[in-house]
Amino acid sequence: MKYSEAFLNAAADLCAAGRIIDSKERVPATSGNFSVRLPDGTIAITVSGKHKGRLQIEDIMLIDAEANSLDGKKPSAETLLHTSLYKRFPNVGCVLHPHAINAVLVSRIFKTEIVLEDYELLKAFNGITTHESRIVVPIFANDQDIPRLAAEVERYLDRHDDCYAYVIAGHGFYTWGTTVDETLRHIDALDYLFDCELRLHGVKKL
C-alpha cells in the first residue's frame, strides 16, 4: 500500500512520541497505544504488540473512522477507544494511552475518580487559564470487552463534556488533544498531578 505524506508525517510523530513517553518509563513492555487523525478522517495508529520506545514507520497502520484496518495490519484491541474519542470531539487530532505507574496507583487509591484542584499545572490543559480550577478524571474498571468499556466511557462523556482524560483501573490512562505535542503535554501534567495526589495521600513509590 502506498501511504500518503500526511500518514508518513503522522507515523513519524507517533514514533517520536513513543520514544519520549518510553524515556519517562510510561509504556513498559509492549503496553500503550497511540494515534493521530489525518486530514481525510482516517487514523494512523500503532499496531498491536510493539514496544513503543522502539517504534518504526512500519509499526504504524492506517484505519478508518470505524476502526477497520485499511492496510491489512493488526491494530490494538483498544482501537475502538481511540475512534470513539475522534467521533465525539471534532477538534481532537491525537489520542495517547500510556501505562504510567502513577495512573495505576491512582486507580487503586481513588476507585471511581480523582479530583485535581488548585494546582498551577492545571494551566497545561487547553482552555484553563488559572490555578483556581478543578478537573475530574474518571476511573473505569478494566474490561476485556472493549465495546462495553467504550460504551461506559461514552455514557460518562455524555454527562461531562469538559473531560481531559480517563483512567482504566490497574491499566493506564487515555488523554487527547488537538496535536501530538499538546497531548504529550497533557501526559506530563497528568502524571505530575497524579504523583502529587498520591504523595498527599501517603503513597510512596519505591
Side-chain angles (χ1 to χ4, degrees):
M1 177 176 180
K2 182 176 176 56
Y3 292 109
S4 68
E5 182 178 358
F7 172 87
L8 294 173
N9 289 338
D13 288 343
L14 290 175
C15 292
R19 290 190 292 273
I20 291 169
I21 297 169
D22 178 58
S23 73
K24 299 176 182 180
E25 301 182 344
R26 294 170 180 163
V27 278
T30 60
S31 65
N33 38 76
F34 317 141
S35 68
V36 166
R37 176 158 45 189
L38 305 181
D40 66 358
T42 60
I43 297 162
I45 190 167
T46 48
V47 301
S48 179
K50 294 293 183 177
H51 190 291
K52 303 308 178 297
R54 298 194 289 270
L55 290 172
Q56 303 296 318
I57 296 296
E58 57 266 27
D59 299 324
I60 312 300
M61 64 177 295
L62 187 67
I63 62 171
D64 65 18
E66 304 302 322
N68 299 305
S69 174
L70 296 176
D71 57 11
K73 296 180 182 179
K74 180 183 177 183
S76 163
E78 298 170 27
T79 297
L80 186 59
L81 298 176
H82 290 251
T83 55
S84 64
L85 289 168
Y86 289 124
K87 288 178 182 178
R88 175 172 292 273
F89 300 118
N91 64 325
V92 166
C94 176
V95 177
L96 298 177
H97 169 48
H99 285 215
I101 190 170
N102 285 331
V104 174
L105 292 173
V106 156
S107 72
R108 300 296 196 208
I109 301 300
F110 298 97
K111 306 302 183 184
T112 61
E113 66 181 25
I114 178 168
V115 178
L116 305 172
E117 190 169 13
D118 295 331
Y119 286 107
E120 178 70 16
L121 201 60
L122 288 172
K123 291 191 286 186
F125 298 97
N126 190 31
I128 295 180
T129 59
T130 172
H131 70 279
E132 296 177 326
S133 300
R134 179 181 187 269
I135 69 171
V136 176
V137 180
I139 301 170
F140 300 103
N142 202 359
D143 194 340
Q144 299 306 300
D145 186 330
I146 299 302
R148 182 168 60 196
L149 176 56
E152 185 176 359
V153 174
E154 285 289 324
R155 286 191 292 273
Y156 180 90
L157 293 176
D158 284 342
R159 305 188 306 273
H160 306 88
D161 60 2
D162 57 348
C163 187
Y164 290 92
Y166 63 84
V167 173
I168 302 176
H171 184 150
F173 69 93
Y174 274 81
T175 189
W176 48 90
T178 57
T179 65
V180 174
D181 284 345
E182 181 177 276
T183 313
L184 284 169
R185 188 177 76 238
H186 289 176
I187 288 180
D188 283 343
L190 287 162
D191 196 57
Y192 174 88
L193 294 171
F194 290 166
D195 192 25
C196 288
E197 288 294 314
L198 290 168
R199 295 185 191 206
L200 282 172
H201 285 77
V203 180
K204 296 180 179 178
K205 293 186 295 181
L206 296 178

